[in-house]
Amino acid sequence: MIRLGNWNDLDIVRFTDHGAYLDGGDVGEILMPKAYVLDEMRPGDRVSVFVYLDQEERLVATTETPLARVGDFAFLRVTWVNEYGAFLDWGLMKDLFVPFREQKMRMQTGHSYLVHIHIDERTHRIVGSAKLERWLRPATPETYRRGSSVEIIVQQKTPLGLKVIVDNTYSGLVYDNQIFDTPPRTGDRLTGTIINVRPDGKLDVSLQSLGTDRFTDFAGILLEELHNCGGHLPYGDHSPAEEIARRFGVSKKTFKRAVGSLYKEKKSVSRKKASA
């Protein structure tokens, strides 16, 4: 069965002046244009190809790697707009179509938007949608444990913090008090840590690891900073939290715990000002 908008391993059936025809099973032969045919390819060879629809809505195969696949969320740039909708660059010859009904606001050429890629049930075309909530599921307490590492995509800034998409499936939030460095931007892909699964199925996420791992990891970074600065840093227990966050990208609590860890290991001799 062909997975439209995804990678497929298909056998070469024959070659023509147009390229190589691949065995698509029930859907028939699928053309891989000549531009992607290698000299060493032979009938019977199996090739890994991305299958999508060409300008005439025919199945076509390519060895190019797209920026995203069907089922993915992706931050893509609009290349042009017509009377039906917007067309986004997703790394293939044919742009991704986002009809006006799937736009939260009218998309503009040259701007980038976070969209979900899917197959339209009515037209069977690969399309994008900026109405992201429709494609997100609620998490359950069994889905994640506190401290689980996850991959996130930044969706948008809110009054509470950053709304994020977790593991391409769930909705989450990184609270402002968890952001200690330059705030990430829409479309940024980051690693986060689960803090809590809320009753509504949404996830509270931290951009830092939790528990002793966080302090241990930062203690190593702090020790390296001390060595790089000649064994002394002008920060300690009485330094303002804002200065610590600006300099190291961590909370004051994490900083103090790391200093305490180094002090106990006799790698830091003063807790008033970090030094080694």
Side-chain angles (χ1 to χ4, degrees):
M1 180 177 179
I2 295 297
R3 296 188 300 162
L4 181 61
N6 215 319
W7 290 95
N8 297 261
D9 292 330
L10 304 177
D11 296 332
I12 297 175
V13 177
R14 59 191 176 93
F15 294 92
T16 72
D17 291 341
H18 300 294
Y21 281 88
L22 312 178
D23 183 4
D26 293 342
V27 301
E29 294 181 348
I30 299 173
L31 175 65
M32 179 172 67
K34 190 174 182 178
Y36 311 117
V37 177
L38 303 179
D39 292 339
E40 60 267 26
M41 290 180 177
R42 297 290 182 270
D45 286 353
R46 176 156 291 193
V47 291
S48 182
V49 291
F50 188 86
V51 178
Y52 67 115
L53 300 173
D54 66 11
Q55 300 289 350
E56 298 181 14
E57 306 302 328
R58 298 172 302 190
L59 291 172
V60 63
T62 177
T63 55
E64 290 183 309
T65 301
L67 299 175
R69 302 173 295 177
V70 163
D72 286 346
F73 294 89
F75 191 58
L76 305 175
R77 183 178 60 84
V78 177
T79 57
W80 59 294
V81 177
N82 66 11
E83 65 270 29
Y84 303 107
F87 295 82
L88 282 59
D89 177 14
W90 66 319
L92 298 176
M93 187 175 296
K94 181 187 176 184
D95 291 332
L96 177 72
F97 177 56
V98 181
F100 286 127
R101 68 175 183 276
E102 295 296 337
Q103 300 177 23
K104 293 180 109 174
M105 61 183 72
R106 285 296 174 100
M107 293 181 171
Q108 301 179 42
T109 301
H111 291 223
S112 295
Y113 302 86
L114 190 60
V115 297
H116 180 268
I117 302 172
H118 62 281
I119 298 174
D120 184 270
E121 293 182 356
R122 182 171 57 85
T123 65
H124 304 291
R125 298 168 70 185
I126 301 173
V127 298
S129 172
K131 297 180 179 180
L132 308 180
E133 287 73 16
R134 184 188 309 166
W135 309 99
L136 296 170
R137 304 202 312 263
T140 66
E142 293 76 29
T143 309
Y144 294 107
R145 294 181 305 169
R146 177 179 169 86
S148 296
S149 179
V150 292
E151 299 300 317
I152 63 175
I153 304 173
V154 177
Q155 184 176 345
Q156 65 185 69
K157 183 76 173 69
T158 75
L160 293 177
L162 292 175
K163 194 172 183 180
V164 297
I165 296 170
V166 180
D167 285 344
N168 207 51
T169 306
Y170 308 103
S171 181
L173 183 69
V174 178
Y175 288 95
D176 270 336
N177 62 7
Q178 294 290 327
I179 303 171
F180 303 110
D181 207 342
T182 303
R185 297 177 296 180
T186 298
D188 283 353
R189 294 177 180 268
L190 307 164
T191 299
T193 306
I194 297 297
I195 299 175
N196 179 49
V197 180
R198 284 187 266 155
D200 62 0
K202 295 182 179 179
L203 300 165
D204 294 334
V205 184
S206 172
L207 296 182
Q208 304 177 75
S209 57
L210 303 182
T212 57
D213 286 346
R214 173 177 53 176
F215 306 122
T216 302
D217 291 345
F218 178 65
I221 294 172
L222 181 59
L223 184 60
E224 184 177 347
E225 288 283 328
L226 284 167
H227 288 316
N228 292 338
C229 295
H232 177 79
L233 286 168
Y235 302 94
D237 289 353
H238 301 296
S239 298
E242 295 78 9
E243 286 187 16
I244 290 173
R246 189 162 48 247
R247 175 63 175 82
F248 301 104
V250 299
S251 67
K252 186 170 181 178
K253 178 181 177 182
T254 298
F255 177 84
K256 290 175 69 175
R257 288 285 296 272
V259 170
S261 175
L262 294 178
Y263 180 77
K264 289 178 182 178
E265 295 174 14
K266 303 188 185 302
K267 294 178 180 177
S268 174
V269 298
S270 173
R271 298 192 62 171
K272 293 183 178 178
K273 295 292 182 181
S275 60

